[in-house]
């Protein structure tokens, strides 16, 4: 009886471990958290979703569901068999340390932008590393981000061929690009809270720490649509800047979480 109990306990432990196959990997001197599904899709159907945290955030806080939890895709990735990589930016302020990170999305944000960190090159390299490691077709790489991470995602869409499609949450295009030829024919879903005071839908100075004068959603959509992009803008009444508030409003108004929106928009909701 004792032997059977021990075997059962070991089996439960193995299942629990398999159901949360997230590991820390290093690329370019930064940690990235990579969640590999319990059952990977077949070679042609494999996909990779890159998730970028907002300013003052980090990958660990999303993956451990301490903040921006609506972008934690682990459970839904296990269901549909795709890989998720939560990447880290670089310290966004001089004083707060290496747990508070940001991205050089152009005019935003903080030290990442002021020091002209090559986040475009970093993300391109990290994606190439992950593609090779997991045998993912280059045409099935997707990107998403929140706030400063959304701005970085839009920069990647505008300036590179890395993503097949992207989701931007609470962000705008903050580069000087007036056209985005690499994005022609691609799709972007932009989700923005109508009551966002940190990165206002209409643009202008936000109330966040960066005090950036942000571009508007109208400006952003104009740049992409004039470049031949199918840019879908979803303004959420009653939602502010916080990712988890947006997630709650989406569930109430559309019966879908952010994660469910992600897999549907990227076409990954096929077991």
């Amino acid at each position: 009886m004792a032997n059977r109990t021990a075997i059962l306990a070991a089996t439960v432990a193995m299942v629990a471990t398999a159901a949360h196959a997230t590991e820390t990997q290093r690329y370019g001197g930064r940690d990235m958290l990579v969640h590999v599904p319990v059952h990977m899709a077949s070679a042609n159907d494999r996909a990779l979703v890159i998730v970028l945290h907002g300013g003052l955030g980090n990958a660990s806080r999303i993956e451990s569901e301490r903040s921006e939890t609506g972008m934690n895709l682990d459970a839904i990735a296990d269901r549909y068999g795709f890989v998720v990589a939560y990447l880290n930016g670089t310290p966004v302020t001089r004083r707060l340390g290496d747990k508070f990170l940001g991205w050089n999305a152009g005019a935003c944000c903080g030290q990442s932008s002021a020091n002209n960190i090559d986040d475009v090159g970093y993300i391109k390299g990290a994606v190439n590393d992950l593609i090779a490691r997991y045998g993912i077709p280059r045409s099935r790489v997707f990107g998403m981000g929140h706030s400063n991470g959304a701005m970085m995602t839009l920069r990647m869409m505008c300036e590179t061929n890395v993503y097949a499609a992207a989701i931007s949450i609470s962000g705008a295009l903050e580069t000087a690009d007036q056209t985005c030829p690499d994005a022609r024919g691609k799709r972007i879903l932009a989700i923005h809270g109508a009551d966002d005071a940190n990165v206002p839908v209409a643009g202008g100075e936000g109330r966040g720490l960066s005090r950036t004068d942000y571009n508007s959603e109208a400006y952003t959509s104009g740049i992409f649509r004039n470049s031949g992009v199918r840019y879908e803008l979803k303004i959420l009444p009653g939602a502010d800047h916080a990712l988890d508030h947006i997630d709650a409003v989406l569930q109430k108004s559309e019966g879908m979480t952010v994660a469910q929106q992600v897999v549907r928009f990227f076409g990954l909701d096929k077991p």
Side-chain angles (χ1 to χ4, degrees):
M1 181 70 177
N3 196 35
R4 288 177 59 189
T5 301
I7 292 172
L8 178 60
T11 301
V12 169
M14 289 174 64
V15 170
T17 300
H20 193 266
T22 302
E23 59 182 43
T24 301
Q25 299 179 15
R26 291 283 286 179
Y27 179 80
R30 307 186 203 179
D31 286 344
M32 54 183 181
L33 299 182
V34 182
H35 185 85
V36 181
V38 176
H39 301 291
M40 183 87 79
S42 60
N44 290 337
D45 293 327
R46 290 179 187 176
L48 169 65
V49 178
I50 299 294
V51 178
L52 304 184
H53 60 77
L56 299 176
N58 61 56
S60 178
R61 291 184 65 83
I62 299 173
E63 212 283 327
S64 62
E65 298 186 318
R66 285 177 289 162
S67 67
E68 299 178 304
T69 58
M71 292 199 299
N72 184 308
L73 305 181
D74 292 1
I76 208 159
D78 282 337
R79 179 177 179 183
Y80 295 114
F82 61 90
V83 178
V84 184
Y86 306 91
L87 304 191
N88 277 308
T90 56
V92 75
T93 72
R94 293 189 183 94
R95 299 178 181 178
L96 294 180
D98 60 3
K99 300 297 183 184
F100 300 90
L101 309 177
W103 304 98
N104 176 15
C108 182
C109 289
Q111 291 301 295
S112 304
S113 175
N115 294 331
N116 198 27
I117 300 296
D118 184 13
D119 283 323
V120 171
Y122 172 76
I123 295 171
K124 287 172 67 174
V127 167
N128 287 337
D129 180 74
L130 292 163
I131 284 174
R133 188 184 300 265
Y134 297 107
I136 296 165
R138 195 167 292 276
S139 61
R140 289 179 60 75
V141 178
F142 306 93
M144 70 173 299
H146 171 242
S147 189
N148 180 217
M151 299 167 197
M152 190 68 222
T153 299
L154 292 171
R155 181 175 188 178
M156 291 298 295
M157 282 293 287
C158 186
E159 298 180 0
T160 78
N161 281 310
V162 170
Y163 298 148
I167 295 177
S168 162
I169 305 175
S170 308
L173 182 65
E174 297 299 332
T175 67
D177 297 290
Q178 294 301 302
T179 184
C180 302
D182 286 329
R184 181 170 298 279
K186 297 183 179 182
R187 298 180 304 128
I188 295 174
L189 171 61
I191 303 172
H192 214 130
D195 301 334
D196 190 338
N198 289 52
V199 183
V201 173
E205 185 174 313
R207 295 182 186 172
L209 292 178
S210 72
R211 293 297 182 182
T212 299
D213 189 13
Y214 296 105
N215 288 325
S216 66
E217 280 288 2
Y219 172 87
T220 301
S221 62
I223 294 290
F224 280 110
R225 285 170 178 161
N226 289 339
S227 301
V229 177
R230 287 173 286 175
Y231 192 93
E232 178 184 342
L233 177 58
K234 184 176 293 192
I235 304 293
L236 299 181
D240 58 16
H241 186 73
L243 188 285
D244 296 330
H245 295 167
I246 287 172
D247 195 39
V249 170
L250 277 173
Q251 290 184 58
K252 184 176 181 180
S253 62
E254 300 185 19
M256 297 180 67
T257 64
V258 166
Q260 289 168 329
Q261 293 261 336
V262 168
V263 295
R264 175 173 289 187
F265 185 73
F266 292 154
L268 303 177
D269 53 345
K270 299 172 181 62

